[in-house]
Amino acid sequence: MSARWIRLDMGWSLSGWVAALPPESRLVWIEILGHCKTFGSAGRVKRPQPEVFARLYAVTRDAVTVCEQAAIEDGALVVEGTDWVLVNWQKYQTTDETSVERS
């Protein structure tokens, strides 16, 4: 069951680069995190084409490209070859030993 969860800091939307995004592009960031958790490993996942990602998650292609570019400019996301690499994935997604107690 824990494989279905991602850790998301309550202040995620207050991050400067995220706060500057239009609302739909903010949603894309959450979808990227979930996509990486579902289909990737250790913060690395094959980068889908923006059109495909948009259809999968019911967002516009523009929202995907705006979010991706902002994340790259901020250093939160790196494109390596055909992969997305989420910077600091291990730092934010490592197992929290107290999570069972809190849930």
Side-chain angles (χ1 to χ4, degrees), residues 8-52:
L8 185 64
D9 181 43
M10 291 300 295
W12 74 272
S13 63
L14 301 176
S15 175
W17 73 273
V18 176
L21 293 173
E24 188 179 23
S25 292
R26 288 184 192 185
L27 170 62
V28 169
W29 181 241
I30 301 300
E31 297 294 5
I32 288 173
L33 295 174
H35 183 82
C36 188
K37 176 70 174 192
T38 302
F39 299 107
S41 177
R44 177 181 288 271
V45 67
K46 182 170 173 53
R47 178 187 177 266
Q49 292 298 315
E51 302 81 18
V52 173

Side-chain angles (χ1 to χ4, degrees), residues 29 32-33 36-37 42-45 76-78 84-90:
W29 181 241
I32 288 173
L33 295 174
C36 188
K37 176 70 174 192
R44 177 181 288 271
V45 67
L77 179 70
V78 175
W84 273 336
V85 178
L86 292 160
V87 178
N88 292 324
W89 179 266
Q90 296 297 89

Side-chain angles (χ1 to χ4, degrees), residues 1-7 37-38 95 99-100 103:
M1 183 64 83
S2 65
R4 302 184 120 186
W5 294 88
I6 60 170
R7 286 181 55 195
K37 176 70 174 192
T38 302
T95 305
S99 62
V100 173
S103 58

Side-chain angles (χ1 to χ4, degrees), residues 44-103:
R44 177 181 288 271
V45 67
K46 182 170 173 53
R47 178 187 177 266
Q49 292 298 315
E51 302 81 18
V52 173
F53 194 88
R55 281 192 302 263
L56 284 172
Y57 297 102
V59 293
T60 64
R61 181 187 188 284
D62 286 345
V64 175
T65 57
V66 166
C67 179
E68 181 185 50
Q69 189 58 43
I72 290 168
E73 288 174 9
D74 179 72
L77 179 70
V78 175
V79 177
E80 286 185 2
T82 61
D83 292 347
W84 273 336
V85 178
L86 292 160
V87 178
N88 292 324
W89 179 266
Q90 296 297 89
K91 176 181 175 183
Y92 293 109
Q93 300 303 321
T94 55
T95 305
D96 180 354
E97 295 167 5
T98 65
S99 62
V100 173
E101 296 169 14
R102 288 185 279 112
S103 58

